Amino acid sequence: MKEPAVSADPTQTLAFDTSCHLFDGCGFPAPGLHSFLFKPLFGDADSNLYFNKTMLLALLGSIIIVGFFWAAFAKPKVVPGKLQLVAEAGYDFVRRGVVYETIGKKEGDKYVPFVVSLFFFVWMMNVWSIIPVAAFPVTAIISYPAVLAGIVYIIWVSLTFKRHGFVGAFKNFTGYDKTLGPVLPLSMTIEFFSNLLVRPFTHAVRLFANMFAGHTLLLLFTIASWYMLNGIGIAYSGVSFVMVIVMTAFELFIQAVQAYVFVLLTCSYIQGALAEHH
C-alpha cells in the first residue's frame, strides 16, 4: 500500500499522493499532522532559524490588513466611498458590538484600536484556509493563538494590578468573597488557578482547536473527492465534493465567529480587570 506523501514542497496545498485512487490498490491518504507541517522557504529548520509558509501568510495577512485600512482612511471623506464605507462598518461593528457592549464607552474607547486590530488579524489568519494557493489557516498552528492569548493575558494582568494594586488584584484573581465562609480557601484556590493558568490556555486552544478541526475536515473531503474519482467511485466523489462546498461555506461562518469570540473574551477579561471588586 502507498503511504501518504509528506509535504516536501512548502507551497503544496494537500499532502497526499495525487496518483492514488480508489480501486488502484492503495489506501486512502488520510490527512494528519503531516498536513500541517511545511518545510522552510528559506533558513534551517534544525537551527529553528527559518521562514515557512505559515509565517509568510501571517506577514502577508498583516500587510493586507494595514494596507486596507490605510487605503480606506488615508483621505477620509464626509460622504464615504465604498472602501471607506466597508472599513467604517467593520470598525464600528467591533467598537459598538464588542467593546462598548462589554467594557462600556467611557472605559472602552482607549481599547478600541487594539481590539479592532486583534479582530481583523485573527479573522484574516482564519480566512487563509479557503483562499486558493494559500489554503491553510495560520491559527491552526498553536503558536499563533498562543502568542495572541499571551498578549491579552499580559494586558489583563497588568491592568488588574494597575487598577487595584497588589491586594485588590489578588482579590480579583481569586474571587475573594468573605461571605463564602469555610469554603473560601477552596474557592480562592480554584479561582486563582482558573484565572491565571487555565484562562490563557483555553483562550488560545479554543481558537486553535476550531481552526485545526475545520481545516482537517476540509482536507478530508477534498482528498476523498480526488481519491474516489475513479470508476464507480465517481458517484461517491461527487457527494464528497458537495461536502467540500458545504464545509467551505461553514468555515466562512466559523472563521468570523472565532475571531468574534476571541475579541469578545479579550474585552471580557479587560472589563474584569477594570471592574471594582466588592
Side-chain angles (χ1 to χ4, degrees):
M1 293 177 65
K2 296 181 181 179
E3 295 292 335
V6 177
S7 181
D9 180 357
T11 62
Q12 186 174 335
T13 304
L14 300 177
F16 69 99
D17 187 351
T18 55
S19 65
C20 183
H21 289 286
L22 187 65
F23 309 125
D24 282 349
C26 57
F28 177 64
L33 289 178
H34 60 276
S35 305
F36 294 80
L37 300 175
F38 300 92
K39 286 191 174 183
L41 295 170
F42 57 83
D44 184 9
D46 294 331
S47 64
N48 291 322
L49 294 173
Y50 62 91
F51 191 82
N52 65 9
K53 179 178 177 176
T54 56
M55 296 175 185
L56 176 61
L57 293 179
L59 178 61
L60 288 176
S62 302
I63 293 172
I64 289 171
I65 295 168
V66 172
F68 170 74
F69 281 101
W70 184 277
F73 295 122
K75 295 180 180 179
K77 300 178 181 178
V78 177
V79 180
K82 293 180 180 179
L83 193 63
Q84 183 182 334
L85 189 64
V86 172
E88 285 181 354
Y91 184 89
D92 204 50
F93 166 74
V94 178
R95 182 181 62 172
R96 295 180 180 275
V98 181
V99 180
Y100 286 1
E101 286 292 327
T102 308
I103 304 175
K105 187 178 187 303
K106 183 179 178 181
E107 294 275 19
D109 264 334
K110 66 180 72 173
Y111 302 104
V112 170
F114 169 68
V115 177
V116 169
S117 301
L118 190 61
F119 173 82
F120 282 100
F121 180 78
V122 172
W123 179 73
M124 187 69 226
M125 297 305 102
N126 294 348
V127 164
W128 282 125
S129 173
I130 60 169
I131 295 178
V133 181
F136 189 85
V138 175
T139 44
I141 303 297
I142 186 61
S143 56
Y144 293 92
V147 169
L148 295 175
I151 293 171
V152 173
Y153 179 79
I154 291 170
I155 292 173
W156 165 58
V157 171
S158 60
L159 276 176
T160 305
F161 278 109
K162 182 179 179 180
R163 176 59 66 96
H164 304 286
F166 181 81
V167 175
F170 179 76
K171 290 181 178 180
N172 189 294
F173 293 140
T174 58
Y176 176 80
D177 184 355
K178 62 183 179 181
T179 62
L180 292 176
V183 300
L184 180 59
L186 177 61
S187 173
M188 290 178 66
T189 301
I190 294 173
E191 285 293 314
F192 180 83
F193 283 100
S194 174
N195 286 329
L196 291 181
L197 297 179
V198 178
R199 177 176 286 187
F201 174 78
T202 57
H203 196 197
V205 169
R206 182 181 286 105
L207 174 60
F208 158 73
N210 277 280
M211 299 316 301
F212 183 93
H215 186 62
T216 301
L217 285 173
L218 273 176
L219 279 178
L220 181 66
F221 286 112
T222 303
I223 295 173
S225 299
W226 180 261
Y227 176 71
M228 293 187 291
L229 197 61
N230 187 25
I232 194 174
I234 292 176
Y236 308 126
S237 177
V239 174
S240 183
F241 184 71
V242 169
M243 286 303 301
V244 171
I245 296 173
V246 171
M247 287 303 303
T248 299
F250 184 64
E251 273 297 286
L252 269 172
F253 171 72
I254 294 298
Q255 288 157 4
V257 168
Q258 287 306 310
Y260 175 79
V261 169
F262 195 88
V263 296
L264 184 65
L265 289 172
T266 298
C267 288
S268 176
Y269 300 157
I270 292 175
Q271 189 277 332
L274 299 175
E276 293 296 328
H277 183 79
H278 300 287

